[in-house]
Amino acid sequence: ALIILFLGIFFFFFFFFPSTIVTNQWFLPAVRGDIPPGCAAHGFVCDGTRILVFGGMVEYGRYSNDLYELQASRWLWKKVKPQAPSTGSPPCPRLGHSFSLYGNKCYLFGGLANESEDSNNNVPRYLNDFYELELQHGSGVVGWSIPVTKGILPSPRESHTAIVYCRKDLGSPKMYIFGGMCGCRLNDLWELDIETMTWSRPETKGTVPLPRSLHTANVIGNKMYVFGGWVPQSAGGDISAHDGEWKCTGSFSYLNLDTTEWIGLISDCQEDKSNLLPGPRAGHCAVAVGTRLYIWSGRDGYRKAWNNQVCCKDLWYLDTEKPPAPSQVQLIRATTNSFQVKWDEVPTVEGYLLQLHADSPVPSVAGIPGTGVPETSVLSSQGSSQMTLLSLSSNSLLKVEGKEKVAAPENKITQETMKNHADATGFKESNAPSLLDRQWYDVGIFKNNSAVVSQFYLLPEETLSISNKVMESADVPDYRLLKKQDLLPGTVYRFRVAAINGCGVGPFSKISEFKTCIPGFPGAPSTVKITKSVDCIHLSWEPPASPSGNILEYSAYLAIRSTQLQENPSQLVFMRIYCGLKTSCIVTAAQLSNAHVDYTSRPAIVFRISAKNERGYGPATQVRWLQGKVGPVSLEEG
């Protein structure tokens, strides 16, 4: 039973501390303190960096009403003892209850109690009591209370689901309870207005899911996604047959919480011979991470055939929206015929589509070595993380297949994903400009958030002029059959990148421009490092990989505030703060006091560093410095 608990901890860290989980491997943390016993059908909520667990079935079939807190930042368990309600008794031992968090309060509803004091003699009692647990900030709890509610309480039940949703425009939080078990399966929906503590039964549209218990419900955006559970075996979903036969289901629906309309995604009778959808299950675990829903484990089978039940050991996820646009492409280093570029990671994506547009060479402006467009974000440090490539189903439900590393740009992306890629690049819309007119070309699809670019793909002319029929059939280009074009020296290239998930290709990033080096001129300095002291910062870098002769000097520039910048925010103005042979310099607090703070993503100060040889200055490396506080300039740590 602890597997479910540790799964919750895993997803907790996946969401709050994604950098600590990059190997797709399970781990068993070394916890300490008041370690709770193994439990099942308990309540579980995450509040910041702590986890609260209430009730459930513990050893020897005993029901519990204990409350435990785990400080996940220290892996420290603590058994907490809330104050009893001022009127009434604290919650009795139970399982199958709901335990929901909103603000600094947890809401406990229903569950199953044992009327007998003997755990071997189970006398079930279905509950519909309602409690509120006030939490202390950071750690600990205040106590239980029994809110005074209006309206009619939902009927007693266990193994139901409860979620809390607050519309952005109305701002009134609501708790929704769906389904459960009370001698028979239920599919009724109840709403609690948390501000007024009023219960009601909202009218819904669409096809209501079959009565069920031991299902999951998760909120993503304005939708409540309901998956799996035990449902009546009869096709009509007869809920009047007390304790009749039932089976596990793989049906999947969502409720639009703004319109209260049910939408079915996977029907109970939908065939899946290719194993592209999660199989029927109940008692599984589901958690939302951003706009992605993960589904883990559970059991399958029929009530009258316990011996045929099997435990599932598979992990699936559902992408519910296309990913957001990544940050601008950033330059790590440039040569005469290549760029090393990167961009910020987008969580929970399959890969990235990188495109470029070739332009004519652009000379340096006002004697300051340029990188193309001055507002371009150019970073000097490399960073990327491996991501698991996944197989895509027709319903965008994905199953983790492994950890294979696929080299870019020949990553294996499925046909449907590529069809969505074609949609995003303008193939299908007859009123959109063609790729030939726009001159955007694919560099490739990459698993990681970095790439070395020395070529791009040229589409045949007949492909560029083909009508919508080709894209309707998903006949997208095969990169292995396309001709490649090498990058040229002294040429400006525009870059943009989009993230890809099971829903397709998301919007493209803002455009960045970089210029390849001119033969004979030095390349851009690399590996820029910035360290902070009390009253200044220390700026250092490494010489260009291709100096093309002797380096005569380096120049470092700082983007400064100016009236010109106010009139044209996209045109940064730079002041030279260093010129010399050393590969390091000191930037004083007085110089930083005049710095321009760039807010295109996170607040940052912008530097440029370039090298000069006998031919002159080569391209600059630009770096956005996210650092603490130096003098009057206050910036985010980074």
Side-chain angles (χ1 to χ4, degrees):
L2 277 176
I3 291 178
I4 296 178
L5 179 60
F6 285 118
L7 178 75
I9 296 171
F10 170 82
F11 282 124
F12 164 82
F13 259 72
F14 185 87
F15 183 78
F16 287 101
F17 306 103
S19 61
T20 65
I21 300 178
V22 295
T23 61
N24 291 321
Q25 296 291 321
W26 290 102
F27 70 98
L28 189 66
V31 296
R32 55 195 173 92
D34 304 324
I35 301 174
C39 57
H42 52 276
F44 184 100
V45 298
C46 291
D47 176 36
T49 57
R50 65 172 165 173
I51 292 171
L52 294 165
V53 177
F54 173 76
M57 177 187 286
V58 293
E59 59 269 286
Y60 310 115
R62 182 175 59 87
Y63 294 4
S64 170
N65 62 347
D66 293 332
L67 180 66
Y68 289 87
E69 175 187 278
L70 173 67
Q71 286 290 343
S73 58
R74 296 179 290 159
W75 295 121
L76 177 64
W77 281 104
K78 180 173 65 174
K79 186 176 182 179
V80 292
K81 297 182 179 179
Q83 298 176 7
S86 57
T87 58
S89 303
C92 66
R94 67 189 66 203
L95 59 75
H97 47 282
S98 58
F99 198 47
S100 308
L101 174 70
Y102 184 77
N104 69 328
K105 293 180 180 178
C106 291
Y107 297 96
L108 170 68
F109 177 80
L112 180 67
N114 187 359
E115 288 283 67
S116 173
E117 296 181 359
D118 182 5
S119 59
N120 294 322
N121 182 26
N122 190 12
V123 180
R125 177 166 63 97
Y126 296 98
L127 305 170
N128 66 342
D129 49 358
F130 180 61
Y131 286 87
E132 185 178 85
L133 176 66
E134 184 178 354
L135 309 181
Q136 290 179 344
H137 178 71
S139 178
V141 299
V142 178
W144 294 105
S145 63
I146 303 176
V148 177
T149 62
K150 293 174 283 188
I152 300 175
L153 270 174
S155 59
R157 66 194 64 207
E158 55 99 359
S159 298
H160 55 281
T161 53
I163 59 94
V164 179
Y165 171 68
C166 184
R167 284 184 61 164
K168 293 181 180 180
D169 53 346
L170 298 181
S172 178
K174 305 284 199 310
M175 184 169 76
Y176 292 90
I177 289 175
F178 175 72
M181 171 70 172
C182 184
C184 60
R185 267 68 195 172
L186 306 170
N187 65 346
D188 49 349
L189 179 71
W190 293 81
E191 176 188 289
L192 173 69
D193 188 313
I194 293 178
E195 288 187 353
T196 64
M197 283 295 164
T198 302
W199 288 101
S200 62
R201 286 196 63 176
E203 294 185 3
T204 63
K205 300 184 287 280
T207 303
V208 180
L210 287 175
R212 65 192 61 213
S213 63
L214 283 177
H215 54 285
T216 53
N218 302 83
V219 176
I220 300 178
N222 67 340
K223 299 177 178 65
M224 179 178 74
Y225 290 87
V226 175
F227 174 74
W230 291 106
V231 298
Q233 188 173 345
S234 60
D238 182 12
I239 64 174
S240 63
H242 183 79
D243 206 23
E245 291 191 17
W246 57 86
K247 63 178 181 178
C248 289
T249 182
S251 59
F252 192 39
S253 304
Y254 72 78
L255 175 70
N256 185 314
L257 296 168
D258 293 337
T259 63
T260 62
E261 180 179 6
W262 285 104
I263 302 294
L265 298 175
I266 303 174
S267 67
D268 192 57
C269 59
Q270 183 169 338
E271 293 188 10
D272 180 29
K273 296 180 180 179
S274 301
N275 192 30
L276 295 175
L277 303 172
R281 66 195 67 205
H284 52 283
C285 176
V287 64
V289 180
T291 60
R292 177 175 283 183
L293 179 68
Y294 288 86
I295 297 170
W296 161 254
S297 193
R299 60 178 178 173
D300 183 19
Y302 289 86
R303 170 66 179 86
K304 298 301 183 182
W306 291 105
N307 293 336
N308 293 332
Q309 290 198 31
V310 295
C311 288
C312 307
K313 297 180 181 179
D314 48 356
L315 174 65
W316 296 76
Y317 71 75
L318 169 73
D319 282 316
T320 61
E321 297 178 9
K322 290 183 179 181
S327 65
Q328 285 179 282
V329 178
Q330 305 153 0
L331 181 67
I332 297 175
R333 60 179 59 90
T335 68
T336 56
N337 58 2
S338 71
F339 297 110
Q340 185 175 356
V341 296
K342 65 164 290 185
W343 50 90
D344 293 344
E345 268 192 356
V346 178
T348 61
V349 297
E350 294 180 53
Y352 303 91
L353 170 65
L354 182 64
Q355 292 186 333
L356 64 74
H357 168 249
D359 204 351
S360 58
V362 176
S364 301
V365 179
I368 298 177
T371 59
V373 175
E375 74 271 19
T376 302
S377 299
V378 185
L379 298 188
S380 59
S381 60
Q382 183 177 4
S384 64
S385 65
Q386 296 182 8
M387 300 180 66
T388 302
L389 191 64
L390 304 163
S391 64
L392 179 65
S393 79
S394 60
N395 288 277
S396 299
L397 274 163
L398 301 170
K399 181 178 181 180
V400 174
E401 297 291 350
K403 298 186 301 170
E404 61 175 295
K405 183 177 180 181
V406 183
E410 288 83 11
N411 284 343
K412 296 180 180 178
I413 301 296
T414 62
Q415 191 178 51
E416 181 168 338
T417 302
M418 288 306 302
K419 183 176 183 295
N420 289 327
H421 152 45
D423 297 347
T425 52
F427 273 91
K428 289 186 66 176
E429 297 182 20
S430 58
N431 59 345
S434 70
L435 282 181
L436 183 62
D437 295 332
R438 293 162 57 193
Q439 296 182 352
W440 284 105
Y441 300 99
D442 287 4
V443 177
I445 296 177
F446 298 86
K447 274 186 63 180
N448 300 326
N449 62 325
S450 65
V452 175
V453 182
S454 60
Q455 298 174 317
F456 56 93
Y457 293 96
L458 295 176
L459 291 175
E461 291 185 8
E462 60 269 19
T463 302
L464 289 174
S465 60
I466 280 179
S467 66
N468 295 344
K469 295 180 181 178
V470 171
M471 299 322 302
E472 290 294 342
S473 63
D475 186 14
V476 297
D478 185 343
Y479 286 150
R480 294 171 297 182
L481 304 178
L482 296 181
K483 183 179 178 182
K484 297 179 181 179
Q485 173 67 50
D486 294 332
L487 300 191
L488 301 175
T491 304
V492 171
Y493 293 91
R494 297 189 178 104
F495 284 89
R496 66 182 187 179
V497 65
I500 306 170
N501 67 9
C503 292
V505 180
F508 279 95
S509 65
K510 294 182 179 179
I511 297 171
S512 301
E513 292 190 9
F514 311 120
K515 182 181 178 182
T516 50
C517 300
I518 303 174
F521 288 81
S526 62
T527 320
V528 179
K529 296 180 180 178
I530 303 176
T531 56
K532 182 179 65 172
S533 60
V534 176
D535 56 352
C536 65
I537 65 169
H538 184 260
L539 194 63
S540 64
W541 55 89
E542 292 184 3
S546 54
S548 300
N550 296 321
I551 299 298
L552 302 180
E553 66 183 23
Y554 296 95
S555 286
Y557 298 86
L558 170 68
I560 59 172
R561 297 189 297 269
S562 72
T563 55
Q564 177 182 338
L565 186 59
Q566 294 173 356
E567 296 172 359
N568 186 5
S570 64
Q571 186 70 35
L572 297 181
V573 177
F574 285 85
M575 174 184 70
R576 186 154 70 176
I577 55 175
Y578 169 79
C579 182
L581 270 173
K582 292 182 178 181
T583 56
S584 64
C585 68
I586 298 295
V587 186
T588 66
Q591 291 171 323
L592 289 172
S593 65
N594 194 34
H596 163 68
V597 180
D598 178 23
Y599 290 97
T600 54
S601 54
R602 291 189 294 172
I605 293 176
V606 182
F607 293 99
R608 280 184 180 172
I609 305 165
S610 59
K612 179 182 179 182
N613 64 8
E614 292 86 351
R615 294 284 302 274
Y617 273 103
T621 295
Q622 183 167 298
V623 58
R624 301 178 74 252
W625 179 55
L626 286 75
Q627 191 60 20
K629 186 174 182 181
V630 180
V633 180
S634 179
L635 290 176
E636 183 178 343
E637 191 73 31

